[in-house]
Amino acid sequence: MNKVKILALSAIIALVLTACANEDNTYERLHTYDQTESFSSVAGKYTVDLKFMKGQPVIGEETADWVTVTALPSSGEEQAKVEITVKENATGAERTMLQTITVGDYTVKLTIIQGITNVNDPNEDETDQPAYSPDK
């Protein structure tokens, strides 16, 4: 009889733990979203609206030395905004960084992509498209 009680109690505990794990995933899924912002290879400073967010953003730990993300002041009624400052990309490759930002109970996983600098003209981005030449 004791074995049956122990097995039944173990099964109930397993179900409760599984239900709690699923609730956490549902909460994260409903309170987290992805946003991607792409920038040219030149150095610059950009203001970005965080979609669907109102209130004061809190920036997570930065993971790249070529980009800085700064929260801009915002009240609870205003669109949440951040300022993104990128250094020139002369690496010869596109670079990407993932920045986590929270606004209240919500989290934005902001992917920042910066293009490639054209070595011949640093103000022009590289492209896979051939140069246009009109027919004569």
Side-chain angles (χ1 to χ4, degrees):
M1 185 71 165
N2 283 338
K3 290 181 182 180
V4 173
K5 287 181 182 179
I6 291 173
L7 285 174
L9 184 58
S10 298
I12 291 171
I13 291 172
L15 286 172
V16 168
L17 291 176
T18 302
C20 289
N22 287 340
E23 284 179 22
D24 290 344
N25 292 339
T26 301
Y27 179 85
E28 182 179 346
R29 189 174 64 248
L30 294 176
H31 288 83
T32 302
Y33 76 93
D34 298 326
Q35 182 173 335
T36 301
E37 298 293 333
S38 298
F39 303 102
S40 70
S41 60
V42 296
K45 195 177 278 192
Y46 306 92
T47 298
V48 172
D49 290 341
L50 299 177
K51 299 173 187 162
F52 318 117
M53 301 293 213
K54 290 188 177 186
Q56 183 63 41
V58 177
I59 309 299
E61 185 176 335
E62 293 181 355
T63 58
D65 61 353
W66 56 271
V67 61
T68 304
V69 181
T70 307
L72 295 176
S74 176
S75 73
E77 298 302 314
E78 297 174 325
Q79 181 76 37
K81 297 176 190 274
V82 293
E83 182 177 79
I84 299 175
T85 305
V86 292
K87 295 179 182 176
E88 180 182 7
N89 183 4
T91 64
E94 182 178 270
R95 53 190 178 187
T96 304
M97 190 266 260
L98 178 65
Q99 179 69 61
T100 301
I101 303 169
T102 57
V103 181
D105 291 336
Y106 297 90
T107 301
V108 181
K109 293 182 179 178
L110 181 64
T111 301
I112 300 168
I113 302 171
Q114 189 182 31
I116 305 166
T117 297
N118 184 329
V119 178
N120 298 326
D121 182 359
N123 292 319
E124 181 180 318
D125 287 342
E126 290 283 346
T127 179
D128 292 335
Q129 302 298 318
Y132 173 74
S133 59
D135 293 332
K136 294 183 181 180

